[in-house]
């Protein structure tokens, strides 16, 4: 069998196994084993489920990312990126690979009303900060039956979440509504855009317009982003948000400083939708406020149908 055939067969096998594996596990990169009884599904509902997802080559293809309402991309250590995927209208049976939380996530998620945050663990000094944040943290130590290790790749790139096993119930309403954003008609103006690449020190994300699918097809570090079934991942609207990225008070296990992305403030943005690029401004007055996206003349920016990707791009 060819190398491509072996790879495709392995991916197909994992797509089946990802729904069948039942072994519980620990967080792997910061959380501790739990000897308590597993969390049961209480039916309690917060507005959104946010899942911290790995975004390096060994972690791909992602599982369940295509069904997120909102996908945030943020810079982490060594100039790499991680994803914070937000779900509300639709929950896949499995999401991952799940990785550790960062301080940036806490400020970002204050735009939502008591969100649930699923993550593998965190730097030890950050854990009490997460516990004090206005969200419901659900690492493996609190819901061990909700997480499992996949068989197709090595740790730490193989931790997956079964959302039905945590105390969260999807509202059925698109999470963008929680941000005060709306789907609407394409605004006038804009410039034709076939492709846009957002670069980080050690990573890149490219969006290529597909008129046939009416989506911006996503590529990660130059390779097409695909589901575990091999389908291309796409976005209806893309927002590239220029932000300040500074050092935080936290470091990873290797001593690298964890960057903090400032999501409160204001700055320039570019909105990609319907094969066009629109210059915009973003503004968020406080951590408790929504981020407002507007055109240079002050009009609200409406979204196209489909997933929303927001990329926090370090100001050059």
């Amino acid at each position: 069998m060819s190398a491509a055939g072996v790879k495709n067969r392995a991916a197909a096998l994992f797509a089946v196994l990802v729904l069948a594996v039942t072994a519980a596990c620990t967080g792997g990169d910061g959380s501790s084993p739990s000897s308590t009884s597993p969390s049961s599904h209480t039916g309690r509902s917060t507005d959104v489920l946010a899942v911290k997802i790995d975004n390096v080559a060994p972690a791909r293809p992602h599982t369940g990312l295509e069904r997120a309402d909102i996908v945030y991309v943020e810079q982490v250590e060594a100039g790499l990126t991680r994803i914070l995927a937000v779900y509300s209208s639709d929950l896949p049976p499995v999401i991952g690979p799940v990785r550790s939380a960062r301080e940036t996530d806490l400020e970002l998620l204050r735009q939502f009303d008591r969100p649930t945050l699923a993550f593998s663990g965190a730097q030890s000094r950050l854990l009490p900060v997460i516990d004090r944040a206005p969200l419901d943290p659900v690492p493996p130590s609190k819901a061990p039956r909700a997480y499992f290790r996949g068989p197709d790749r090595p740790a730490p790139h193989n931790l997956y979440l079964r959302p039905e096993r945590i105390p969260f119930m999807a509202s059925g309403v698109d999470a963008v509504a929680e941000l005060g954003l709306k789907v609407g008609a394409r605004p006038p103006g804009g410039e034709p855009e076939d492709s846009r690449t957002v670069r980080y020190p050690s990573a890149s994300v490219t969006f290529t317009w597909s008129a046939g699918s009416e989506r911006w097809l996503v590529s990660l570090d130059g390779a097409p982003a695909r589901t575990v079934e091999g389908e291309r991942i796409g976005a209806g609207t893309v927002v590239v948000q220029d932000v300040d990225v500074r050092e935080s008070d936290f470091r990873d296990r290797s001593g690298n400083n964890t960057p903090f992305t400032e999501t409160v403030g204001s700055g320039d943005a570019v909105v990609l939708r319907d094969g066009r690029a629109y210059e915009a401004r973003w503004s968020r007055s406080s951590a408790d406020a929504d981020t407002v996206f507007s055109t240079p003349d002050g009009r609200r920016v409406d979204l196209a149908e489909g997933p929303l990707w927001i990329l926090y791009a370090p100001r050059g």
Side-chain angles (χ1 to χ4, degrees), residues 34 74 82 85 141:
S34 173
E74 64 187 58
R82 283 197 183 165
S141 58

Side-chain angles (χ1 to χ4, degrees), residues 42-315:
T42 65
R44 177 177 55 82
S45 175
T46 55
D47 59 347
V48 300
L49 168 65
V51 184
K52 197 60 183 285
I53 295 178
D54 205 347
N55 194 31
V56 294
R60 302 172 192 147
H62 296 109
T63 299
L65 182 62
E66 71 280 5
R67 289 166 66 174
D69 295 331
I70 306 171
V71 176
Y72 291 97
V73 179
E74 64 187 58
Q75 183 176 326
V76 292
E77 298 84 5
L80 298 169
T81 63
R82 283 197 183 165
I83 287 170
L84 188 67
V86 179
Y87 300 82
S88 182
S89 64
D90 184 25
L91 275 184
V94 176
I95 301 172
V98 181
R99 288 299 298 270
S100 53
R102 295 294 185 272
E103 185 185 12
T104 295
D105 306 324
L106 307 183
E107 182 174 276
L108 160 61
L109 286 173
R110 289 187 64 180
Q111 297 176 94
F112 301 97
D113 182 18
R114 197 75 193 185
T116 298
L117 174 61
F119 60 105
S120 66
Q123 199 267 356
S124 60
R125 291 178 54 243
L126 183 60
L127 287 172
V129 181
I130 294 173
D131 288 338
R132 293 192 298 268
L135 53 78
D136 293 329
V138 188
S141 58
K142 291 188 177 181
R145 290 185 62 249
Y147 292 86
F148 69 92
R149 291 282 178 189
D152 71 326
R153 60 190 71 171
H157 311 294
N158 63 348
L159 181 66
Y160 294 87
L161 169 72
R162 300 185 191 86
E164 65 178 10
R165 296 191 179 186
I166 63 173
F168 173 83
M169 183 179 297
S171 68
V173 177
D174 197 310
V176 299
E178 299 293 338
L179 299 179
L181 301 174
K182 296 181 179 179
V183 172
R186 188 182 76 187
E191 296 292 332
E193 185 94 350
D194 294 327
S195 181
R196 173 70 62 112
T197 297
V198 181
R199 300 188 186 281
Y200 297 86
S202 303
S204 66
V205 186
T206 299
F207 299 92
T208 303
W209 176 246
S210 170
S213 60
E214 297 184 330
R215 287 287 186 275
W216 295 92
L217 302 181
V218 183
S219 294
L220 301 171
D221 300 329
R226 299 186 183 277
T227 67
V228 292
E229 294 83 14
E231 300 294 325
R232 288 295 300 270
I233 294 176
T237 306
V238 178
V239 177
V240 182
Q241 186 175 334
D242 291 343
V243 295
D244 289 323
V245 178
R246 60 170 173 79
E247 289 191 352
S248 74
D249 294 330
F250 301 94
R251 295 183 179 276
D252 66 10
R253 290 177 174 177
S254 300
N256 298 310
N257 186 268
T258 300
F260 179 80
T261 297
E262 296 185 351
T263 59
V264 173
S266 61
D268 295 328
V270 174
V271 177
L272 305 178
R273 57 163 297 178
D274 303 297
R276 303 184 75 84
Y278 297 87
E279 298 299 322
R281 293 283 297 172
W282 71 270
S283 177
R284 185 181 176 199
S285 58
S286 68
D288 293 326
D290 293 334
T291 303
V292 176
F293 298 102
S294 58
T295 61
D297 59 3
R299 290 175 296 161
R300 183 187 69 196
V301 174
D302 287 336
L303 309 179
E305 293 279 358
L308 169 64
W309 280 57
I310 297 179
L311 289 87
Y312 292 126
R315 286 190 173 110

Side-chain angles (χ1 to χ4, degrees), residues 21-43:
V21 175
T22 56
C25 61
T26 65
D29 54 353
S31 59
S32 303
S34 173
S35 59
T36 61
S37 60
S39 299
S40 60
H41 196 291
T42 65

